[in-house]
Amino acid sequence: NAGVTQTPKFQVLKTGQSMTLQCAQDMNHEYMSWYRQDPGMGLRLIHYSVGAGITDQGEVPNGYNVSRSTTEDFPLRLLSAAPSQTSVYFCASSYGLGGGYEQYFGPGTRLTVT
Amino acid sequence: KQEVTQIPAALSVPEGENLVLNCSFTDSAIYNLQWFRQDPGKGLTSLLLIQSSQREQTSGRLNASLDKSSGRSTLYIAASQPGDSATYLCAVNWDNDMRFGAGTRLTVKP
């Protein structure tokens, strides 16, 4: 089991560029989510998905798009990067969010927008 | 609005001490609460998960308690070691809305 994997580990973008952060899990989890972590703040939910073909917005969705065509993959797209999107991005997965379902996190992608 | 607060923001203790980290949250209608550990530059590692119907969970030297009525959870670390140095994050789940506290940065001095 590789768990939750994220690529790339580091990325530098210029303002206005677009890119896709990749996330994959091999645990057959239905629930997947994206968070961003900024200094001095906790993680904030960007988008989440409760299964293939179903996505919804979290706390800070503006400037990001997601899609879920398979159970395994949940990419995050930055449409037009802005310096305010400089952050560390984490992908997570679990069987669900209620009850005793633990969330498993990937190692993160550190993004800098200049 | 659901919010999660962790106090203190930073804590430094000598090796061997028992310590308590605090987490408070608004709205007691939670699904579960999870404690994570994060080492510098790394991802999150799950430590303990407490379901809404539970009062506490234990794993080794760690014990987490949950009091929904007062909106509080504590993480107790017994006999702290330098290897426990990390940031500890509390996350509360409300119906597909998971909110994190800003964390407590723990330093255990040899």
Side-chain angles (χ1 to χ4, degrees), chain A residues 5-74:
Chain A
T5 58
Q6 291 183 238
T7 56
K9 284 188 168 51
F10 301 93
Q11 183 70 48
V12 179
L13 289 178
K14 292 189 185 329
T15 297
Q17 287 185 319
S18 62
M19 79 159 294
T20 298
L21 279 62
Q22 301 292 344
C23 174
Q25 52 90 11
D26 61 358
M27 297 173 281
N28 204 31
H29 286 166
E30 290 294 328
Y31 184 92
M32 295 186 74
S33 54
W34 277 101
Y35 295 86
R36 60 178 288 173
Q37 185 177 35
D38 301 299
M41 302 182 72
L43 280 72
R44 291 181 293 169
L45 181 63
I46 304 171
H47 285 285
Y48 65 92
S49 168
V50 298
I54 306 169
T55 63
D56 206 345
Q57 297 180 351
E59 186 183 358
V60 288
N62 291 341
Y64 307 96
N65 269 0
V66 292
S67 60
R68 183 101 178 266
S69 56
T70 67
T71 298
E72 294 78 20
D73 300 297
F74 191 43

Side-chain angles (χ1 to χ4, degrees), chain B residues 14-64:
Chain B
E15 182 177 4
E17 268 203 11
N18 302 326
L19 59 100
V20 174
L21 307 180
N22 296 295
C23 172
S24 61
F25 51 91
T26 58
D27 190 349
S28 60
I30 69 171
Y31 278 24
N32 57 41
L33 183 147
Q34 199 166 352
W35 282 93
F36 293 90
R37 169 187 172 135
Q38 185 176 30
D39 293 288
K42 303 291 186 184
L44 279 68
T45 301
S46 177
L47 297 174
L48 290 165
L49 180 144
I50 309 177
Q51 297 182 51
S52 174
S53 58
Q54 297 174 325
R55 295 299 299 267
E56 67 175 348
Q57 283 286 340
T58 298
S59 175
R61 294 181 295 108
L62 305 180
N63 175 276

Side-chain angles (χ1 to χ4, degrees), chain B residues 78-91:
Chain B
S80 58
Q81 304 169 356
D84 293 331
S85 297
T87 296
Y88 290 80
L89 296 165
C90 168

